[in-house]
Amino acid sequence: MDTHSHLTAPNRSRSSQSPSPSHSASASASATSSIHKRKLAAAAAGDDDHLPPFAPSSLSADTRDGALTSNDDLESISARGADSDSDDAEDSDTVLDDEDEDFDNDSSMRTFTTARLDTTNPAGSSSRNTKIKMENTNVKIENSDSGKDGGHTGTGAVGPAAAGSSGPGIVVKEDSVKIFTENLQASGAYSAREESLKREEEAGKLKFVCYSNDDVDEHMVWLIGLKNIFARQLPNMPKEYIVRLVMDRSHKSVMIIRRNQVVGGITYRPYVSQRFGEIAFCAITADEQVKGYGTRLMNHLKQHARDVDGLTHFLTYADNNAVGYFIKQGFTKEIYLEKDRWQGYIKDYDGGILMECKIDQKLPYTDLSTMIRRQRQAIDEKIRELSNCHIIYPGIDFQKKEAGIPKKIIKVEDIPGLREAGWTPDQWGHSRFRTLNSASDSATNQKYLTAFMRSLLKCLKITRTVILLPMSYSLDSYCMDFVLAVNA
Ligand SMILES: CC(=O)SCCNC(=O)CCNC(=O)[C@H](O)C(C)(C)COP(=O)(O)OP(=O)(O)OC[C@H]1O[C@@H](n2cnc3c(N)ncnc32)[C@H](O)[C@@H]1OP(=O)(O)O
């Protein structure tokens, strides 16, 4: 791959809709026009520098691209076709306008974000407004799934279901689970969602696959389904532009497949020589958002990109609306990747924020929940070594007689667990002040109590608590009043 020509490639701005040189070939038929007036800024001379890393198809990319944007049959068999979600409903307007070869419709891309922020936009923000957070479900702690990692090689099925390899070695004692008792919080919301989706993968109900345009019918149907979701969820992104990138053979798409239908996906372009990938589109179908699919998808993507493509970073122009999501996936607005590794390679998009994610070289991305669970166990074990806080004693019997007088006086030192926790009678606290009733010498009692009240007041002053006492009201008399009040 000629990196130089990358750097000298014409500006590929999302705002100007300048297609990547790599797309100019596939787009030559479809890009002859656009209702979005895209500017065909890419120079043919730049084509070579984006030679697709995948095996070329026997079908002409031109024909395919054009066909896919207008072929009703293909649209009708798209993965979302029969679904309640109308992610493919927009395809009727993907017919290209042949009279306009000008791709310079900056506004269509500039309004990409603003329109989606508009609450009146039915496909964008309004659908998001109706999202319902999935309830946190407690996950039963099991020891059986340890070691199942999403290691995988090659394009195709990704994740635990397809994995034969184990993840980066995390060794945990088998018997450690035995001491994992009920009073330890099983998992947080993140882990619960990940565990739940992972179980579905293992049960074969859900799968994550990664394909590019490879002429395999099933993959093509899925890619079209994904394209439809993108078109629906990114309503201001020109549809032919989406088609072009999804079908471009230098792009790959990680897709979520449920009941043979696409639920969502990410289309990215791996720049293998530069060891980074550019995320072009990312979306989950409307009725499945905020259920954890986006997170699991990103985790699969990271693992696949690291293990199969050898990437170390991802860059993306995140839509303003989705910045929060990307931050939760480990993306930052600060770009740490050296500029010479990415500048000139990726497309610029107006209305988006360039974000970066460093891919950890060891993390078992598709099995993070197991890792988190084991870390919890390890921390819990350590705490148990150092303290008895995990032991729960039965409550103290404070049953009272009818007159309200305690049936039996419980000595402090008799409270179950207190001594075991390291308490001794000489410690600061109750033991400094014997109960007034039990003390034989009232003068001693008063002395102790006065000392206690003084120290109490000192603490209160330190914490800037203002206690207003009359000038004539001495501290001793205040304490005395307190003692009397206690005795009363
Ligand atoms: C490069 C680009 O393509 S930018 C455009 C991104 N795509 C879109 O905006 C299309 C519309 N949105 C979507 O398709 C989805 O909502 C996605 C892809 C953004 C996120 O997928 P989801 O399945 O909803 O994400 P998931 O359920 O895993 O949520 C993960 C976390 O991100 C949060 N989150 C999800 N979407 C957003 C958002 N748009 N803004 C802020 N936070 C979000 C969730 O609340 C959740 O937080 P939590 O872990 O604290 O509970």
Side-chain angles (χ1 to χ4, degrees):
M1 188 175 283
D2 177 3
T3 55
H4 178 71
S5 55
H6 270 293
L7 295 167
T8 55
N11 174 37
R12 293 172 295 157
S13 154
R14 194 179 260 182
S15 64
S16 63
Q17 284 306 286
S18 306
S20 150
S22 65
H23 312 136
S24 59
S26 63
S28 58
S30 60
T32 52
S33 62
S34 167
I35 52 172
H36 299 282
K37 297 180 184 175
R38 287 200 230 156
K39 181 180 174 184
L40 191 56
D47 284 357
D48 287 345
D49 61 7
H50 287 275
L51 281 174
F54 311 110
S57 159
S58 57
L59 282 175
S60 150
D62 295 18
T63 311
R64 179 167 297 279
D65 203 11
L68 289 175
T69 53
S70 57
N71 188 332
D72 286 344
D73 290 334
L74 262 180
E75 297 300 338
S76 65
I77 57 169
S78 73
R80 298 295 304 164
D83 208 291
S84 57
D85 183 75
S86 52
D87 273 335
D88 56 351
E90 81 296 341
D91 292 315
S92 56
D93 65 350
T94 57
V95 179
L96 303 177
D97 177 358
D98 282 345
E99 32 179 79
D100 190 357
E101 292 197 350
D102 182 10
F103 273 57
D104 192 15
N105 186 356
D106 288 9
S107 61
S108 72
M109 295 305 293
R110 285 199 181 115
T111 54
F112 165 55
T113 299
T114 43
R116 290 174 56 205
L117 286 169
D118 181 358
T119 50
T120 59
N121 181 347
S125 7
S126 63
S127 65
R128 194 166 299 149
N129 290 341
T130 59
K131 283 184 208 168
I132 299 168
K133 269 237 176 213
M134 195 178 81
E135 280 183 13
N136 300 344
T137 47
N138 272 341
V139 173
K140 197 179 160 208
I141 302 301
E142 292 167 351
N143 198 28
S144 57
D145 61 348
S146 58
K148 285 181 188 170
D149 194 11
H152 47 79
T153 54
T155 299
V158 295
S165 62
S166 61
I170 301 164
V171 182
V172 72
K173 282 185 277 176
E174 281 303 305
D175 61 350
S176 61
V177 174
K178 287 175 193 156
I179 63 158
F180 196 66
T181 55
E182 286 172 11
N183 60 326
L184 178 71
Q185 189 191 348
S187 65
Y190 179 95
S191 291
R193 288 190 302 225
E194 281 285 290
E195 292 249 10
S196 159
L197 292 175
K198 191 172 144 235
R199 276 199 299 273
E200 286 197 42
E201 284 172 64
E202 287 163 357
K205 293 178 186 165
L206 189 70
K207 64 179 173 183
F208 288 78
V209 296
C210 181
Y211 292 113
S212 56
N213 180 347
D214 59 4
D215 285 344
V216 176
D217 286 353
E218 187 178 48
H219 305 166
M220 301 306 287
V221 171
W222 287 339
L223 286 175
I224 292 293
L226 180 64
K227 181 270 294 179
N228 292 341
I229 291 175
F230 289 153
R232 181 73 174 171
Q233 294 304 316
L234 308 172
N236 292 288
M237 188 69 76
K239 293 174 180 64
E240 62 273 29
Y241 180 71
I242 293 173
V243 167
R244 194 189 312 160
L245 293 206
V246 172
M247 291 301 162
D248 178 66
R249 292 194 171 87
S250 60
H251 284 72
K252 297 168 86 174
S253 297
V254 175
M255 293 173 277
I256 310 170
I257 312 292
R258 165 168 246 148
R259 284 184 230 105
N260 209 30
Q261 293 195 338
V262 185
V263 174
I266 292 177
T267 293
Y268 73 106
R269 177 171 181 158
Y271 290 96
V272 176
S273 65
Q274 305 306 108
R275 301 192 70 202
F276 84 89
E278 176 190 10
I279 293 176
F281 309 120
C282 163
I284 302 293
T285 191
D287 48 3
E288 300 290 357
Q289 290 175 11
V290 200
K291 292 181 180 175
Y293 286 108
T295 301
R296 188 108 189 109
L297 175 68
M298 188 63 80
N299 283 334
H300 272 286
L301 173 71
K302 287 176 186 170
Q303 184 136 330
H304 183 87
R306 179 188 68 197
D307 298 348
V308 178
D309 304 323
L311 308 186
T312 62
H313 289 77
F314 269 116
L315 290 176
T316 191
Y317 270 97
D319 172 30
N320 289 334
N321 250 357
V323 166
Y325 160 76
F326 281 103
I327 286 175
K328 286 182 176 171
Q329 305 310 317
F331 283 72
T332 59
K333 292 179 189 170
E334 293 79 30
I335 309 300
Y336 300 102
L337 188 63
E338 310 87 68
K339 265 195 171 175
D340 56 353
R341 266 178 74 184
W342 62 269
Q343 207 168 39
Y345 285 82
I346 66 169
K347 290 168 281 293
D348 295 321
Y349 291 76
D350 277 359
I353 296 166
L354 184 62
M355 297 185 81
E356 171 191 300
C357 177
K358 187 176 190 302
I359 304 171
D360 190 277
Q361 292 306 303
K362 286 184 183 162
L363 275 181
Y365 280 112
T366 56
D367 204 11
L368 287 175
S369 53
T370 301
M371 190 190 75
I372 292 167
R373 174 159 41 86
R374 288 171 177 174
Q375 286 178 350
R376 274 179 188 276
Q377 283 175 216
I379 292 168
D380 189 55
E381 273 180 59
K382 198 72 201 166
I383 291 171
R384 280 154 200 266
E385 273 176 28
L386 303 173
S387 88
N388 293 326
C389 67
H390 57 284
I391 302 171
I392 299 172
Y393 293 89
I396 302 166
D397 183 11
F398 275 116
Q399 281 180 19
K400 293 180 179 178
K401 282 187 175 172
E402 276 177 16
I405 301 161
K407 210 177 188 177
K408 57 179 179 182
I409 293 168
I410 301 168
K411 289 184 189 163
V412 174
E413 48 268 42
D414 290 343
I415 294 173
L418 209 61
R419 283 183 187 278
E420 290 83 346
W423 179 87
T424 54
D426 61 328
Q427 277 185 359
W428 174 264
H430 295 285
S431 59
R432 291 207 166 193
F433 308 98
R434 288 165 209 140
T435 50
L436 297 173
N437 291 341
S438 61
S440 51
D441 180 2
S442 68
T444 316
N445 272 343
Q446 189 180 331
K447 198 176 129 202
Y448 276 122
L449 197 57
T450 304
F452 170 66
M453 297 303 290
R454 280 182 191 281
S455 59
L456 197 64
L457 278 174
K458 219 173 184 175
C459 290
L460 290 171
K461 278 178 188 165
I462 288 169
T463 55
R464 296 177 184 276
T465 305
V466 180
I467 296 179
L468 294 173
L469 297 175
M471 294 298 284
S472 56
Y473 200 71
S474 74
L475 192 60
D476 280 345
S477 50
Y478 178 73
C479 292
M480 214 40 232
D481 284 355
F482 186 87
V483 173
L484 291 171
V486 169
N487 279 322

